[in-house]
């Protein structure tokens, strides 16, 4: 989950991977964490799943991007930030983001949800 606030891109969640695990529950997650299929938490691994959760302050104008690694693993944080900096229509911005993934070497499906406060 990414947030754009005042033109700045921040990663609010860390993937459930070996590289993301040290940042679970932290206030700051590096936007350039390596993407990997080395999962440490997923549905089906154990009989029960520990649900990740968190909270953040909402401000007018905040823009949130929830996406799969098919997008965030292909499109660099700088390109995500550029694409989200001047978003006017959420549907157009989402479509533009999805179109960037295959051009960046997309090897996986890409999904995105955008929400503006």
């Amino acid at each position: 989950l990414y947030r754009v606030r005042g033109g700045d891109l921040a990663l609010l969640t860390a993937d459930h991977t070996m590289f993301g695990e040290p940042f679970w529950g932290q206030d700051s997650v590096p936007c350039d964490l390596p993407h990997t299929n080395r999962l440490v938490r997923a549905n089906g691994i154990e009989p029960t799943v520990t649900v990740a959760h968190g909270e953040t302050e909402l401000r007018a104008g905040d823009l949130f991007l929830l996406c799969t690694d098919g997008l965030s693993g292909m499109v660099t944080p700088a390109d995500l930030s550029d694409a989200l900096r001047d978003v006017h229509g959420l549907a157009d911005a989402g479509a533009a983001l999805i179109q960037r993934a295959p051009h960046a070497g997309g090897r996986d499906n890409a999904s995105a949800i955008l929400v503006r406060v």
Side-chain angles (χ1 to χ4, degrees), residues 15-108:
D15 291 342
H16 293 159
T17 63
M18 289 176 53
F19 293 108
E21 187 174 24
F23 297 96
W24 294 351
Q26 301 296 316
D27 291 334
S28 178
V29 180
C31 283
D32 60 352
L33 281 178
H35 288 270
T36 176
N37 61 357
R38 296 178 178 170
L39 298 176
V40 295
R41 186 187 298 173
N43 289 330
I45 292 177
E46 299 288 336
T48 60
V49 176
T50 303
V51 176
H53 65 280
E55 60 183 67
T56 188
E57 174 190 350
L58 298 178
R59 295 185 187 166
D62 281 352
L63 177 65
F64 292 89
L65 166 65
L66 179 64
C67 65
T68 62
D69 62 350
L71 178 60
S72 62
M74 295 289 102
V75 179
T76 67
D79 284 344
L80 285 176
S81 183
D82 288 345
L84 295 171
R85 188 167 287 121
D86 295 314
V87 169
H88 298 289
L90 295 183
D92 291 340
L97 284 170
I98 296 301
Q99 290 174 3
R100 287 177 183 237
H103 296 295
R107 298 181 304 266
D108 199 354

